[in-house]
């Protein structure tokens, strides 16, 4: 990515690493996450404006713990976060010790030296941060000074006296650190001298040129789901290559109510993009028959998608060589250890880890380095209607991962109706824009109820609604009780086969947003 400024984030295994990238981009500075194994030569060639070393679960003295060539400290300004701070202290000759001063959760720090990372703070000022560490810096290395302390640790931030090397023991990237964004921006602009040029318009301009160079005059197909990601990806590729693109919308039988009709109307009438609709519902349901494991369901769907695309492209005589997908950065991060780094795999996304290894298409993934809100802004810049770019996320595997256990046609029909009522009531209450994602889940259990003076033994529907900024962390949404009651009453009264509705009050982490 050609920008005036770019921040290299080296991933030491923290589940917060992606949030560092998110906070940097919120400041309109481009960032990428890479593994700690990147060589000094590679980093020098990448030409970072600044380098951030993430947190991680290891101790710096552990065998196999992430480590770096100390020469990276002279390549660009450096910010160490948690484990990153401990590595800097250890590598530069300070003392790092485990135990004794462990800190987890909210903590108060006292700023000892305003300026640098703490520009805008007052000396002696107290500020809330988020700690998550067992080891701590006992003694700062030669040439460094402590710049902040907590009641349990005298060194929770430090800097080099003459080099642009800074470090913090706390996680500035999480929202619980009250002035964390300010601290990160002080590093970006005050220490690194970054230019805030990471904008939707800049991204579109560069990505259009990249797509044209990659594709040339070849035919391209796009797997269109109707969701935000694939819609923006299709519009972006269409801007680059026009009628070389054919969108293929697959009716998997796993769609929401009236989804197919809405997609056909939007893309044919409003966007003028070539669209082929394939009804493959029987094929998907047959492939999923008897399978209840969520990981296997995702992979079955991913493989079947590719099979359908290959058949559709052959039938249309397009001779397509490229397949466009709306893969996002969180998909990549959750599906694989970030670009070879040590972060843990959470789940396989059907369009990342679930693709067939022998598929004939070459992938075009123009949104692969973007977070969801960045995708929405790109869509707006491309002129897509707000009802499209403002939609809640919908998973590529569709309702298959919202029917827990085996995917059955009767369960899908019940879920479709319940989900439609749920979203209808959310919109009627004026709450849709306040919620990151809302959906219903069909549970593989029955419960006893009473309807019309008679005993029932029917299905249970769970409702999920969360607030989030990027999908990497999320809190459950606190509905007004009257709205939740109205939703429950309508589902039970109008959806035959349901006699109980429950609401999910789990945050991410420890839960994920989707149930499967």
């Amino acid at each position: 990515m050609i920008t005036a400024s770019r921040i290299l984030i080296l991933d030491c295994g923290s589940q917060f690493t992606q949030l560092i990238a998110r906070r940097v981009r919120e400041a309109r500075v481009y960032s990428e996450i890479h593994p700690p194994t990147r060589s000094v030569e590679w980093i020098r060639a990448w030409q970072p404006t600044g380098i951030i070393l993430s947190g991680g679960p290891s101790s710096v003295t552990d065998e196999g713990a992430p480590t770096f060539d100390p020469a990276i400290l002279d390549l660009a300004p450096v910010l160490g976060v948690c484990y990153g701070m401990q590595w800097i202290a250890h590598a530069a000759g300070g003392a790092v010790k485990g135990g004794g001063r462990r800190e987890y959760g909210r903590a108060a720090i006292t700023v000892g030296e305003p300026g640098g990372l703490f520009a805008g703070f007052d000396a002696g000022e107290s500020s809330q941060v988020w700690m998550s560490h067992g080891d701590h810096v006992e003694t700062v290395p030669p040439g460094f000074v402590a710049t902040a302390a907590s009641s349990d640790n005298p060194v929770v931030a430090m800097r080099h006296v003459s080099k642009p090397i800074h470090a913090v023991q706390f996680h500035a990237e999480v929202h619980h650190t009250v002035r964390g964004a300010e601290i990160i921006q002080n590093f970006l602009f005050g220490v690194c001298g970054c230019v805030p040029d990471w904008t939707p318009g800049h991204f579109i301009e560069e990505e259009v040129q990249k797509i044209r160079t990659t594709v040339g005059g070849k035919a391209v197909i796009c797997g269109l789901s109707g969701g935000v990601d694939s819609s923006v990806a299709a519009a972006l590729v269409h801007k680059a290559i026009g009628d070389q693109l054919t969108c293929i919308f697959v009716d998997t039988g796993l769609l929401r109510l009236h989804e197919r009709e809405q997609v056909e109307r939007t893309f044919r009438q409003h966007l003028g993009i070539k669209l082929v609709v394939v009804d493959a519902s029987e094929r998907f349901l047959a492939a999923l028959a008897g399978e209840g494991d969520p990981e296997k369901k995702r992979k079955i769907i991913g493989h079947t998608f590719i099979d359908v695309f290959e058949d559709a492209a052959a039938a249309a005589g397009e001779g397509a060589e490229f397949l466009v997908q709306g893969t996002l950065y969180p998909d990549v991060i959750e599906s694989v250890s970030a670009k070879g780094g040590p972060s843990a795999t959470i789940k396989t996304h059907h369009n990342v880890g679930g693709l067939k290894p022998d598929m004939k298409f070459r992938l075009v993934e123009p949104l692969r380095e973007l977070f969801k809100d960045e995708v929405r802004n790109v869509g707006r810049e491309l002129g897509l209607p707000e009802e499209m770019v403002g939609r809640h996320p919908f998973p590529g595997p569709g309702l298959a991962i919202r029917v827990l256990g085996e995917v059955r046609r009767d369960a899908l029909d019940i879920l479709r109706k319940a989900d439609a009522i749920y979203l209808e009531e959310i919109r009627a209450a004026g709450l849709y824009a306040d919620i990151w994602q809302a959906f219903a889940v069909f549970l593989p259990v029955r419960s006893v109820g009473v309807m019309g003076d008679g005993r029932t033994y029917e299905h249970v529907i769970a409702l999920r609604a969360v607030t989030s900024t990027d999908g990497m962390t999320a809190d459950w949404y606190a509905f007004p009780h009257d709205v939740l009651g109205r939703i429950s009453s309508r589902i039970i009264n109008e959806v035959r086969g349901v006699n109980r509705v429950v609401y999910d009050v789990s945050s991410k982490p420890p839960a994920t947003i989707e149930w499967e």
Side-chain angles (χ1 to χ4, degrees), residues 354-392:
L355 295 177
K356 291 171 60 179
D358 60 344
M359 72 170 186
K360 71 175 185 178
F361 299 115
R362 294 167 58 190
L363 289 181
V364 176
E365 299 175 298
L367 311 179
R368 188 179 176 89
E369 300 296 337
L370 297 187
F371 290 93
K372 176 69 76 171
D373 64 321
E374 293 174 320
V375 172
R376 295 189 197 280
N377 289 334
V378 167
R380 293 182 179 103
E381 186 80 11
L382 289 167
L384 295 179
E386 187 61 33
E387 59 266 26
M388 179 180 293
V389 297
R391 292 183 71 182
H392 290 178

Side-chain angles (χ1 to χ4, degrees), residues 74-286:
D74 295 316
L75 295 181
V78 176
L79 170 62
V81 177
C82 195
Y83 177 89
M85 172 175 174
Q86 295 161 16
W87 179 86
I88 291 172
H90 180 71
V96 178
K97 291 189 177 181
R101 295 175 185 163
R102 297 183 179 187
E103 295 177 294
Y104 297 98
R106 291 178 177 86
I109 66 167
T110 301
V111 176
E113 179 188 273
L117 296 184
F118 298 105
F121 289 70
D122 295 325
E125 178 178 345
S126 178
S127 187
Q128 179 184 292
V129 300
W130 184 262
M131 296 283 195
S132 182
H133 68 97
D135 296 355
H136 64 274
V137 177
E138 183 80 3
T139 306
V140 298
F144 283 76
V145 294
T147 55
S150 71
S151 59
D152 292 320
N153 273 298
V155 186
V156 296
M158 65 182 191
R159 69 170 179 86
H160 195 278
V161 295
S162 60
K163 298 179 180 180
I165 304 172
H166 296 257
V168 293
Q169 183 59 71
F170 54 88
H171 288 276
E173 67 272 22
V174 304
H175 286 298
H176 301 299
T177 297
V178 174
R179 298 180 70 177
E182 188 177 345
I183 290 169
I184 291 173
Q185 289 177 28
N186 282 338
F187 175 70
L188 298 177
F189 303 117
V191 177
C192 299
C194 288
V195 176
D197 65 349
W198 173 242
T199 64
H202 188 135
F203 170 80
I204 291 169
E205 180 182 343
E206 289 197 357
E207 200 61 33
V208 162
Q209 187 56 50
K210 186 189 298 183
I211 292 166
R212 288 172 178 165
T213 301
T214 300
V215 170
K218 305 292 185 181
V220 180
I221 59 174
C222 175
L224 189 65
S225 70
V228 177
D229 307 337
S230 65
S231 298
V232 173
L236 182 55
V237 174
H238 185 257
K239 179 179 178 67
I241 61 173
D243 286 344
Q244 288 174 242
L245 173 69
T246 298
C247 288
I248 298 178
F249 177 74
V250 178
D251 184 349
T252 62
L254 308 171
L255 305 175
R256 290 169 290 194
L257 198 65
H258 307 311
E259 186 90 22
R260 175 173 172 172
E261 295 84 352
Q262 291 171 357
V263 170
E264 288 192 81
R265 182 171 59 253
T266 298
F267 278 82
R268 284 199 171 120
Q269 295 180 8
H270 299 298
L271 300 180
I273 296 177
K274 288 195 295 184
L275 179 64
V276 173
V277 177
V278 179
D279 187 344
S281 54
E282 294 294 337
R283 188 167 175 177
F284 277 87
L285 291 175

Side-chain angles (χ1 to χ4, degrees), residues 386 390 392 426-427 430-436 477:
E386 187 61 33
H392 290 178
I426 289 173
R427 288 191 173 96
L431 302 176
Y432 190 83
D434 297 335
I435 298 170
W436 165 267
Y477 182 74

